[in-house]
Amino acid sequence: DLHLQTCLKDLSTDCYTFPFSFCRTFKYFKMPLSRSLSMSSLSGVLPAWEEDELPVEDLLLFEVAWEVTNKVGGIYTVIQTKAKITVDEWGENYYMMGPYFEHNFKTQVEGCEPPNPAIRKAMDALIHNGCQVYFGRWLIEGSPFVILFDIGSAAWNLDRWKGDLWETCHIGLPYHDREANDALILGSLITWFFKELTDQLGDNPNVIGHFHEWQAGPGVILSRSRKIPMATVFTTHATLLGRYLCAGNADFYNNLDKFNIDKEAGERQIYHRYCLERAAVHCAHVFTTVSQITAVEANHMLHRKPDVVTPNGLNVKKFSAMHEFQNLHSTSKARIKEFVRGHFYGHLDFNLEKTLFFFIAGRYEFSNKGADIFLESLSRLNYLLRVHRNDVTVVVFFIMPAKTNNFNVESLKGQAVRKQLWDTAHTVKEKFGKKLYDALLKGQIPDMSSILDRDDLTIMKRAIYATQRHSLPPVTTHNMQDDSQDPILSNVRRVGLFNSRTDRVKIIFHPEFLSSTSPLLPMDYEDFVRGCNLGVFPSYYEPWGYTPGECTVMGIPSVTTNLSGFGCFMEEHVSDPAAYGVYIVDRRFRAAEESCNQLTQFMFNFCQQSLRQRIIQRNRTERLSDLLDWRYLGRFYIHARHLALHRAFP
């Protein structure tokens, strides 16, 4: 093991401290594992695992998820970023499995032949019975093998497989729930594949199946009920019922032991899905979840305590020099400023050099993601900045996809006006520069009236008049389909943040994921995050929370809560998270009003930092990235596989 002690400069003093000792195990499957990884002392984070090395050459690992090559939500990020360290460990004995979608296969997968003849024969057994199966390499880092099952080609078996499920565990699926029906088809095809594969392999090599979320649940249930000789791991990234209850504004965490689970699931018409999830949890040899907060939730909702907590990591790319990521921040921030210049044309009476960019991003779950408390806190921050006559302006981006009717005219016009002004200034500058150059060559100090003629002044005046605007800059960049009922816009109206000249907090709602091909804000999400000053994610329900984690590895400070898996992880591992740019709002033990005031205070304090303090803080935030690296966190998955093998093949 390599013990890495990192010097972090304290924000308020010039002395250097050694706040943590961080032990990284670079031989990923070396056992026993070191227990040291701490900001204060991470004692007890890693159990004292005493297993030997996994005999990878004598095993096959299959990872099953609905989001293999199919981006829907956060699980896609988990399996995509984890692929490289898993391939490094398992090589050609690692396979991912999921549903086949033609567009995804053509754009993300390079088709090829399976290297293992047993897998080819198992695929052929399904293909000869009319079910299409595809094989290839997923074109992501690590290039893992993928086996994709065409659900449509096997849909004719649905009624028979529903009957099998009922006979197996008395779970019935309604005909109108397309997602549950597709999950059953996928699970049945995967079970069929495993049966064919294990029949050929016999006792060697042994098979491990790792299933993610309830959509992969039928695969666990059917594999175990048919006594297929394989070790199974099931991971829940968020309980179904937990997400529904929190979206309905229930006081979830204070009433975990009081909910009538069956009744709540039935009233929300997800009882059959809940049964699939719970059955998968109890059928798996090993049950894992992504955070301690979700482990508590799963224990109450699904009635099984997780065997292992497997936190989500990222592939952390370290820069050789500290200033490199700071330069990336400056470059990306300059691009955001260009967009802001266009969006606020005619009202650009604030200093962009003293403007901070905050953002919130993710699925449009208004209360679950904390957008409600965020807007209320922004209203209070606006008041504080005005009362204290602070010259800082805060521009806040809401990046949450919603139903729209394309870009609105005002937003597009703003960018066009900005570009026209730039072209005008460039033209005048060219003429001005040439005349100035000629005069200096002649040894003369030029007369300004001779350098700028009447036509130049006319062009500049016309450009200035073109920037006049009789309406306020728009709050949203798109035309919303249901403007009057939209939760964010309704609350913007309630708190009165309309981007007026006197407001120190400006709102921009971008109801679409960012893309470098956008005509409005042509930036990828990663570049955009790098250009911002603070990510704010005050979630009420967030089993892990990739958004603040992504901020951390890019060196961008963020706000999270003690109800998110990420926030709990940082509280446990870092002695003073706020000093390292991770602000944790207490939403578990405080009333909403107190949480709102705490968030407001965090943001107001951030606004009062000097440029030097923000640079030092970004350096410290970026150094936390080792905590979130899959090279460390992947070891929790290794332990889960060990445990499953031990229980399946004692």
Side-chain angles (χ1 to χ4, degrees):
D1 291 344
L2 175 66
H3 292 273
L4 176 67
Q5 287 192 322
T6 305
C7 287
L8 297 181
K9 190 170 184 181
D10 190 86
L11 203 60
S12 56
T13 69
D14 287 327
C15 68
Y16 284 83
T17 55
F18 292 83
F20 68 90
S21 91
F22 177 32
C23 172
R24 285 197 285 181
T25 302
F26 287 98
K27 293 181 180 177
Y28 305 128
F29 33 90
K30 177 75 175 170
M31 303 290 178
L33 295 176
S34 166
R35 295 178 54 166
S36 160
L37 164 99
S38 179
M39 286 281 156
S40 47
S41 156
L42 276 188
S43 58
V45 173
L46 287 175
W49 298 327
E50 299 296 339
E51 295 101 338
D52 298 322
E53 260 183 42
L54 270 175
V56 170
E57 64 280 0
D58 296 327
L59 297 167
L60 291 177
L61 172 62
F62 294 87
E63 197 151 4
V64 183
W66 187 261
E67 297 195 28
V68 170
T69 75
N70 175 41
K71 185 168 186 178
V72 179
I75 300 166
Y76 178 90
T77 308
V78 177
I79 56 179
Q80 182 201 36
T81 56
K82 188 169 61 65
K84 186 179 187 307
I85 64 139
T86 315
V87 170
D88 288 345
E89 180 188 346
W90 289 79
E92 294 193 345
N93 287 3
Y94 173 56
Y95 302 85
M96 290 184 175
M97 307 173 86
Y100 168 82
F101 295 101
E102 185 179 9
H103 175 73
N104 294 345
F105 189 82
K106 285 182 176 178
T107 55
Q108 298 182 49
V109 180
E110 179 187 19
C112 63
E113 278 296 307
N116 189 319
I119 288 176
R120 176 75 265 175
K121 288 178 182 175
M123 288 172 56
D124 287 341
L126 272 70
I127 292 168
H128 292 152
N129 281 279
C131 303
Q132 294 303 309
V133 187
Y134 298 83
F135 189 91
R137 283 193 182 273
W138 190 4
L139 300 177
I140 58 172
E141 206 170 356
S143 300
F145 288 127
V146 290
I147 305 170
L148 303 175
F149 299 86
D150 187 344
I151 289 168
S153 71
W156 55 278
N157 291 294
L158 179 60
D159 287 342
R160 177 164 60 87
W161 287 338
K162 278 187 178 182
D164 292 345
L165 183 69
W166 177 258
E167 288 175 12
T168 301
C169 53
H170 286 82
I171 298 174
L173 303 184
Y175 73 92
H176 56 75
D177 189 344
R178 172 76 180 270
E179 199 173 353
N181 289 333
D182 286 351
L184 175 60
I185 295 171
L186 178 65
S188 300
L189 288 169
I190 285 170
T191 304
W192 187 355
F193 173 87
F194 281 140
K195 178 74 170 69
E196 297 288 344
L197 181 66
T198 52
D199 284 350
Q200 292 177 60
L201 295 174
D203 294 333
N204 189 38
N206 285 325
V207 174
I208 306 173
H210 191 145
F211 300 79
H212 292 267
E213 276 300 281
W214 73 271
Q215 291 102 323
V220 185
I221 300 164
L222 296 170
S223 297
R224 290 304 308 280
S225 67
R226 292 172 190 175
K227 296 183 171 53
I228 294 174
M230 61 184 288
T232 55
V233 181
F234 182 78
T235 298
T236 184
H237 296 256
T239 68
L240 262 172
L241 193 53
R243 195 180 290 282
Y244 273 83
L245 286 167
C246 288
N249 293 321
D251 186 6
F252 183 62
Y253 291 100
N254 290 323
N255 293 289
L256 273 175
D257 56 343
K258 299 181 181 68
F259 288 114
N260 182 333
I261 307 299
D262 293 333
K263 177 174 175 289
E264 297 287 354
E267 286 178 352
R268 286 161 179 77
Q269 298 183 12
I270 56 163
Y271 186 67
H272 55 288
R273 294 188 183 192
Y274 164 72
C275 289
L276 286 176
E277 180 181 43
R278 185 167 165 182
V281 163
H282 287 271
C283 284
H285 291 104
V286 170
F287 170 46
T288 80
T289 188
V290 295
S291 63
Q292 290 292 349
I293 193 82
T294 315
V296 173
E297 173 190 338
N299 196 22
H300 286 92
M301 296 284 118
L302 302 171
H303 300 287
R304 179 175 176 181
K305 184 179 179 181
D307 301 293
V308 186
V309 171
T310 51
N312 292 333
L314 287 160
N315 282 331
V316 177
K317 295 180 176 64
K318 303 296 283 186
F319 292 101
S320 55
M322 184 60 73
H323 65 267
E324 288 185 50
F325 85 91
Q326 296 280 12
N327 291 344
L328 284 172
H329 169 73
S330 299
T331 306
S332 296
K333 190 173 182 178
R335 292 170 66 188
I336 295 174
K337 283 180 179 176
E338 282 302 295
F339 167 78
V340 168
R341 286 188 177 100
H343 193 81
F344 289 96
Y345 83 90
H347 286 257
L348 205 63
D349 48 3
F350 52 92
N351 186 351
L352 276 174
E353 296 308 312
K354 293 184 177 179
T355 298
L356 300 177
F357 300 120
F358 294 1
F359 81 100
I360 183 172
R363 277 193 306 272
Y364 197 170
E365 296 177 5
F366 183 68
S367 55
N368 278 3
K369 295 296 182 187
D372 50 356
I373 190 176
F374 187 29
L375 275 165
E376 181 60 39
S377 298
L378 287 174
S379 172
R380 299 177 187 191
L381 175 66
N382 186 48
Y383 174 78
L384 287 174
L385 292 174
R386 289 168 65 177
V387 164
H388 288 82
R389 299 188 181 280
N390 200 308
D391 59 356
V392 169
T393 301
V394 177
V395 175
V396 184
F397 291 87
F398 285 75
I399 312 293
M400 291 179 154
K403 292 181 179 177
T404 66
N405 294 319
N406 221 323
F407 305 106
N408 65 41
V409 174
E410 269 299 300
S411 296
L412 291 170
K413 182 184 174 185
Q415 300 309 312
V417 167
R418 177 193 60 78
K419 188 175 185 306
Q420 185 184 10
L421 276 175
W422 173 256
D423 292 342
T424 301
H426 194 69
T427 304
V428 173
K429 183 183 76 172
E430 287 288 315
K431 290 174 68 177
F432 180 95
K434 189 174 184 305
K435 290 179 181 179
L436 177 63
Y437 174 62
D438 290 341
L440 293 174
L441 280 175
K442 293 174 184 175
Q444 301 170 355
I445 297 295
D447 178 16
M448 295 303 293
S449 61
S450 65
I451 286 186
L452 286 176
D453 58 30
R454 186 186 293 263
D455 287 345
D456 294 330
L457 290 170
T458 303
I459 289 170
M460 287 191 286
K461 285 178 182 177
R462 285 181 61 182
I464 290 170
Y465 289 158
T467 65
Q468 290 183 350
R469 183 183 227 162
H470 302 294
S471 60
L472 293 173
V475 167
T476 178
T477 56
H478 292 58
N479 294 319
M480 304 296 290
Q481 277 191 13
D482 197 358
D483 187 298
S484 61
Q485 299 299 315
D486 182 80
I488 288 178
L489 295 182
S490 297
N491 277 270
V492 166
R493 294 184 192 102
R494 180 181 63 80
V495 299
L497 289 175
F498 296 122
N499 294 340
S500 64
R501 291 183 187 276
T502 55
D503 286 332
R504 296 272 53 83
V505 173
K506 318 281 188 182
I507 303 279
I508 300 175
F509 178 23
H510 188 280
E512 214 173 59
F513 284 130
L514 296 170
S515 166
S516 57
T517 58
S518 167
L520 201 61
L521 182 54
M523 295 181 76
D524 285 329
Y525 179 72
E526 182 177 333
D527 294 333
F528 175 79
V529 172
R530 284 195 186 278
C532 288
N533 299 99
L534 183 71
V536 186
F537 315 102
S539 305
Y540 183 78
Y541 186 77
E542 191 73 83
W544 176 249
Y546 257 120
T547 40
E550 288 164 338
C551 287
T552 302
V553 301
M554 293 184 214
I556 302 301
S558 62
V559 177
T560 181
T561 73
N562 59 355
L563 287 181
S564 78
F566 174 82
C568 293
F569 184 80
M570 284 299 175
E571 272 190 325
E572 186 180 356
H573 295 186
V574 184
S575 58
D576 183 11
Y580 297 91
V582 179
Y583 301 94
I584 300 173
V585 176
D586 185 355
R587 295 202 65 181
R588 189 172 187 186
F589 304 111
R590 293 193 185 193
E593 177 70 16
E594 293 174 326
S595 301
C596 193
N597 286 334
Q598 187 184 18
L599 175 56
T600 305
Q601 196 60 51
F602 281 154
M603 294 191 293
F604 183 64
N605 292 344
F606 188 86
C607 291
Q608 292 181 307
Q609 287 183 5
S610 67
L611 176 61
R612 174 181 168 77
Q613 286 175 320
R614 291 201 303 273
I615 290 171
I616 292 171
Q617 189 179 46
R618 281 199 296 276
N619 286 339
R620 300 181 69 166
T621 303
E622 195 269 344
R623 287 190 179 108
L624 289 184
S625 59
D626 286 324
L627 274 171
L628 303 171
D629 197 329
W630 273 123
R631 285 180 294 180
Y632 167 66
L633 296 178
R635 296 185 291 173
F636 291 93
Y637 277 84
I638 293 169
H639 175 54
R641 292 172 204 138
H642 265 287
L643 203 54
L645 275 173
H646 177 71
R647 290 177 180 176
F649 307 106

